[in-house]
Amino acid sequence: MSIVEKIKSNPALKKLALKLMIPANEHRPRLWVSWLVNPFVHKKGKGSIIRSRTRMDVFPYNRFTMGVKSVIEDFATINNGVGDVIIGNQTIVGIGNVIIGPVTIGNEVMLAQNIVISALNHGYEDVEISPRRQKESCKQITIEDDVWVGSNSVITAGVTLGKHCIIGAGSIVTKDVPPFSVAVGNPAKVIKQYNPASGIWERINAAGN
């Protein structure tokens, strides 16, 4: 068992480690973690860029990786506190995006501006306690290769976006979107799919969706 696994499996050690790494009432790592630990734990591919005004709330106890020639633009927030964040090759994370793991993003993905991709939820069922203090739950989000997500969209916990699917601007995606399809709206629905036999992107009837 690795030292990280030992700490995660021991509540007292986990509490102490988190206290040492995270300032009180904050959700970002202390500077010593960002400067002296993360660069040796997380992997950043050749030619990849993290802009200077990006908020990197990443911790060494979960994975954060970027492939080659990928870019995270200014004012984005990346958080792996509750799950890994994996970004593939030649992928663009646009201005103002928020990504909260566990999230896996493939190669040559385009994420436009102000997108929220969050695999984290808070419980709300106990009416005597604020949702802020209720148990967290996480469900993996997977964005496959060649996906394009339009600006101001939200991708919710547990969703998979299939290869080469397109998400229209302002969409709220609550269910999986199949490969080679176009989905739009709130909640997002598939309106087109690529037909490999005809080579045409065919419109889907609303009644059949």
Side-chain angles (χ1 to χ4, degrees):
M1 182 182 290
S2 69
I3 187 170
V4 173
E5 290 171 334
K6 287 180 180 179
I7 291 172
K8 285 184 175 181
S9 64
N10 186 311
L13 282 177
K14 183 177 178 180
K15 185 176 181 179
L16 176 61
L18 292 175
K19 187 175 181 179
L20 291 172
M21 285 190 290
I22 307 172
N25 204 33
E26 292 198 33
H27 300 281
R28 62 173 69 192
R30 296 183 188 274
L31 288 178
W32 70 268
V33 176
S34 297
W35 293 352
L36 302 177
V37 180
N38 285 344
F40 301 98
V41 175
H42 299 147
K43 296 179 180 179
K44 181 180 169 187
K46 185 177 180 180
S48 63
I49 298 170
I50 300 175
R51 300 294 186 194
S52 60
R53 288 176 287 186
T54 296
R55 177 167 167 167
M56 297 297 294
D57 292 352
V58 293
F59 302 90
Y61 52 79
N62 286 322
R63 294 172 63 199
F64 168 73
T65 65
M66 283 181 73
V68 299
K69 297 183 179 178
S70 288
V71 179
I72 301 176
E73 293 288 4
D74 285 325
F75 309 114
T77 298
I78 310 296
N79 190 309
N80 76 339
V82 292
D84 301 339
V85 174
I86 311 298
I87 299 171
N89 302 321
Q90 300 186 74
T91 283
I92 299 173
V93 177
I95 293 171
N97 280 206
V98 175
I99 299 176
I100 301 173
V103 173
T104 299
I105 301 171
N107 303 319
E108 299 198 42
V109 171
M110 294 193 301
L111 303 177
Q113 301 77 36
N114 302 316
I115 294 165
V116 176
I117 301 171
S118 178
L120 173 68
N121 278 316
H122 285 269
Y124 61 88
E125 291 81 3
D126 189 338
V127 296
E128 302 297 325
I129 304 173
S130 166
R132 180 177 181 271
R133 299 187 182 278
Q134 295 194 40
K135 186 176 180 180
E136 299 169 347
S137 64
C138 298
K139 291 184 179 179
Q140 172 75 36
I141 292 174
T142 301
I143 300 177
E144 298 181 354
D145 297 345
D146 308 331
V147 169
W148 175 18
V149 181
S151 60
N152 300 304
S153 294
V154 176
I155 314 300
T156 61
V159 163
T160 293
L161 303 183
K163 182 176 180 178
H164 204 110
C165 75
I166 313 300
I167 307 300
S171 296
I172 312 297
V173 185
T174 61
K175 296 181 179 179
D176 294 351
V177 177
F180 304 101
S181 61
V182 178
V184 301
N186 179 12
K189 294 184 178 181
V190 174
I191 61 167
K192 285 185 181 180
Q193 279 191 300
Y194 180 72
N195 185 335
S198 65
I200 296 173
W201 288 81
E202 298 177 348
R203 186 166 290 279
I204 304 297
N205 293 328
N209 191 33

